[in-house]
Amino acid sequence: MLLSAGAIVLFSTVLGALYLADRAADESESAVRASQLNLRVLRLFSAVQDAETGQRGYLVTGEERYLEPFNRSLSSISSETQILAPQLRDLGLPQSEIDELQDLLKQKLAEIVRTIELQRSGDSAGAVALVKSSLGANFMDRIRAIIEQIQQLGISNSATHITTLRTTMRWLTSIVAGSAALLLVLAGGVLKVMFDRTRQIERARRKLVRINETLEETVAQRTESLQLANNELQSYAYIVGHDLRAPLVNIMGFTEELDRASGIFRSYLNATRASTADANSKAAIEAVETDIPEALGFIRSSMRRMDNLINQILVIARAGNRELNPERLRLNDLLDETLATVRHRLDENNIAVDMDTRLPEVCSDRLALQQIIGNLLDNAIKYMDPARTGKIGIRGWRKGALAIFEISDNGRGIAEGDQERVFELFRRSGKQDTMGDGVGLAHVRTLVRRLGGDISLQSVLDKGTTFRVAIAADLSKTMKES
């Protein structure tokens, strides 16, 4: 029921996010088109100015090379005006002013052509007189006025789309953030169910230990029930991992799409920033360079945290379900191998290791023991007190059917009230200034119990901690008896 309700809400959230993402993309494209139109209009005006500059250079010097800017502009101005006409109508510029702009450009070019022809025919005085008249200046003043009007319309249009885009992004951010929060709530509910089920299994296991050995039938029945409950827990954990990860993948895809759209918009803004340095442009730049990246960063961090929680659930589930393979092992050899993998960390932190050379031999699962030893050594290194030289001690012995080994350190220690809780899933003790998810010791206890034993600790705050691990000395015998 919990997963069904969560799936329905998340499906609705995904639909809303898709709609808002599509709307954001439309607004972004509209704002970019408005900016592109402004840029093209400026280039058109610049071409007219280049033509006028070439005209004056030719009149002053009489050299044909000064007409190169005019010749380039002459071929581009007419065609560009025809292309811009429908876009200017869409922008809201009256048709009368579009016609006037086209006519003014033709007259201005005609005036420039006339002066050049007079100069070429030898009538320099006539050409200069035509330039000095107010005719060309009047044309340019009116062209400039219409261009400025177009610029204002473009800026206003772009500002409207940018405002809508920012509003849409805020809604989208809220929806995705709400999704992430919902996923965390669902994960909390699932974890509570798992913890409750784990406690039930633990109570059943302890009750079985107290049952008289002669009640073989009762023991067999209870063991079967316990196995069924454990299998159900494993299946439930895998279902949870799959059902919670699918919405995360969708949200991640939408996040990357938004990031891509934001990058496109950022590129166009950067290209047009010099000619649109006003308040609206600054707001748009702030949106794509600060607001949107911050929102996407929050979404990604929430998704990474949720994905990590799901992975840790599956780690515990796999530890309780993996088939064990007992083999003859020397604990000294296993510890030497593990210490070699962390030797660089020991040297970097100036930590000395004192290991008993006569640790017991066992028949147990190599991988499980490597994970147990690796986690305990990792904790000892990670929680050393930098105020003193680090020391790690390792010793072990046999006690009946059990093989026992201890790993001690002189690190920070664990407060008395936290000494049992550190074995619970996602629970940590002391200052949270090191990387960790609160999974390591829960994983270790699960593995130790599967190896037919248990783990305990003794610790004094600011003095150090000793973890004692007791496992079946012959796991293959224990497995046969069970």
Side-chain angles (χ1 to χ4, degrees):
M1 177 65 76
L2 182 64
L3 288 177
S4 298
I8 291 171
V9 174
L10 286 174
F11 180 71
S12 301
T13 302
V14 168
L15 289 179
L18 281 173
Y19 167 75
L20 290 174
D22 186 62
R23 185 176 177 186
D26 289 342
E27 294 298 332
S28 176
E29 290 175 3
S30 297
V32 168
R33 284 196 299 270
S35 298
Q36 288 178 322
L37 179 58
N38 272 2
L39 183 61
R40 294 190 70 168
V41 169
L42 286 175
R43 288 174 178 169
L44 175 63
F45 186 64
S46 177
V48 177
Q49 290 179 317
D50 288 345
E52 191 175 51
T53 300
Q55 168 206 33
R56 293 175 179 174
Y58 177 68
L59 293 180
V60 171
T61 64
E63 297 181 12
E64 289 287 334
R65 62 188 180 89
Y66 283 98
L67 292 179
E68 291 180 5
F70 168 73
N71 293 329
R72 288 195 302 268
S73 300
L74 189 63
S75 61
S76 64
I77 290 174
S78 179
S79 59
E80 187 70 11
T81 305
Q82 295 298 322
I83 294 172
L84 287 176
Q87 298 181 40
L88 295 176
R89 279 194 297 271
D90 293 340
L91 186 65
L93 188 69
Q95 182 62 46
S96 59
E97 296 198 16
I98 296 174
D99 295 338
E100 182 183 359
L101 177 61
Q102 292 176 327
D103 187 58
L104 287 169
L105 290 171
K106 290 178 181 178
Q107 293 184 62
K108 178 60 182 176
L109 290 177
E111 180 259 338
I112 294 174
V113 169
R114 177 59 181 160
T115 58
I116 293 172
E117 290 175 348
L118 289 172
Q119 177 71 15
R120 282 175 174 167
S121 65
D123 188 2
S124 298
V128 172
L130 182 57
V131 170
K132 288 182 177 180
S133 71
S134 60
L135 182 63
N138 291 338
F139 290 153
M140 287 300 292
D141 289 342
R142 183 55 187 154
I143 291 171
R144 186 179 292 104
I146 296 175
I147 293 294
E148 289 176 355
Q149 183 181 354
I150 294 171
Q151 289 285 292
Q152 290 302 316
L153 285 173
I155 291 171
S156 177
N157 183 275
S158 179
T160 299
H161 290 298
I162 290 169
T163 301
T164 305
L165 174 63
R166 296 189 68 180
T167 302
T168 303
M169 292 304 301
R170 289 192 190 97
W171 275 105
L172 182 58
T173 300
S174 300
I175 287 177
V176 177
S179 279
L182 177 61
L183 287 173
L184 291 175
V185 172
L186 288 175
V190 170
L191 289 175
K192 183 180 184 304
V193 173
M194 292 186 65
F195 291 154
D196 292 343
R197 186 61 61 85
T198 302
R199 285 195 292 268
Q200 292 173 5
I201 294 172
E202 181 63 19
R203 286 195 293 268
R205 190 190 70 82
R206 291 177 179 174
K207 187 177 291 186
L208 286 172
V209 172
R210 294 193 297 267
I211 293 177
N212 193 290
E213 294 180 358
T214 60
L215 303 177
E216 294 180 359
E217 184 177 354
T218 303
V219 171
Q221 293 174 351
R222 295 291 178 87
T223 302
E224 183 179 358
S225 299
L226 184 62
Q227 184 62 44
L228 290 173
N230 187 58
N231 291 340
E232 183 182 349
L233 180 63
Q234 309 310 320
S235 299
Y236 188 72
Y238 282 111
I239 292 171
V240 167
H242 178 272
D243 288 352
L244 289 183
R245 183 169 277 117
L248 277 181
V249 173
N250 289 334
I251 294 174
M252 187 177 296
F254 302 147
T255 302
E256 296 304 320
E257 187 63 23
L258 287 175
D259 197 17
R260 185 191 66 79
S262 175
I264 294 172
F265 191 29
R266 185 185 302 113
S267 298
Y268 279 114
L269 283 177
N270 288 337
T272 59
R273 185 181 301 174
S275 62
T276 57
D278 59 353
N280 289 319
S281 296
K282 291 178 180 178
I285 293 168
E286 182 181 357
V288 299
E289 293 186 353
T290 303
D291 296 344
I292 295 175
E294 286 181 356
L296 293 178
F298 171 79
I299 293 168
R300 289 190 177 108
S301 65
S302 297
M303 289 191 296
R304 284 193 296 270
R305 176 166 174 75
M306 189 63 226
D307 187 57
N308 188 54
L309 290 174
I310 294 171
N311 288 335
Q312 301 307 336
I313 292 172
L314 294 179
V315 165
I316 298 298
R318 294 190 186 101
N321 201 41
R322 189 179 69 83
E323 182 179 354
L324 300 177
N325 297 300
E327 59 178 291
R328 287 290 170 187
L329 301 168
R330 295 183 68 251
L331 287 180
N332 282 101
D333 292 341
L334 279 179
L335 279 156
D336 283 337
E337 292 171 7
T338 308
L339 286 170
T341 64
V342 297
R343 177 58 59 187
H344 65 289
R345 294 175 61 195
L346 294 169
D347 294 339
E348 287 175 0
N349 294 280
N350 194 27
I351 299 173
V353 178
D354 179 19
M355 183 172 68
D356 190 343
T357 59
R358 296 184 179 181
L359 297 177
E361 293 187 5
V362 297
C363 177
S364 193
D365 184 84
R366 175 184 292 272
L367 178 59
L369 273 175
Q370 287 174 332
Q371 291 176 334
I372 291 168
I373 294 169
N375 270 289
L376 294 178
L377 286 175
D378 179 70
N379 275 359
I381 296 170
K382 189 160 54 175
Y383 296 108
M384 278 294 176
D385 188 342
R388 54 179 175 266
T389 301
K391 295 180 181 179
I392 295 177
I394 304 170
R395 65 191 189 96
W397 61 93
R398 281 285 299 267
K399 185 178 181 181
L402 296 176
I404 300 171
F405 64 91
E406 292 181 344
I407 297 180
S408 60
D409 64 68
N410 64 337
R412 302 179 184 180
I414 301 171
E416 185 176 353
D418 291 332
Q419 290 182 14
E420 176 58 29
R421 290 186 292 182
V422 294
F423 292 106
E424 297 175 3
L425 193 60
F426 304 125
R427 297 297 293 270
R428 301 180 68 194
S429 172
K431 294 187 297 183
Q432 307 299 308
D433 57 352
T434 58
M435 296 292 293
D437 300 305
V439 175
L441 290 179
H443 189 202
V444 166
R445 183 163 67 175
T446 299
L447 293 172
V448 170
R449 288 176 175 173
R450 288 212 66 201
L451 297 183
D454 210 339
I455 182 172
S456 61
L457 70 86
Q458 293 180 339
S459 184
V460 178
L461 199 61
D462 298 324
K463 295 293 184 181
T465 302
T466 297
F467 284 93
R468 174 176 291 184
V469 177
I471 61 173
D474 189 344
L475 181 60
S476 59
K477 182 179 179 181
T478 303
M479 293 171 67
K480 289 178 182 178
E481 291 175 351
S482 61

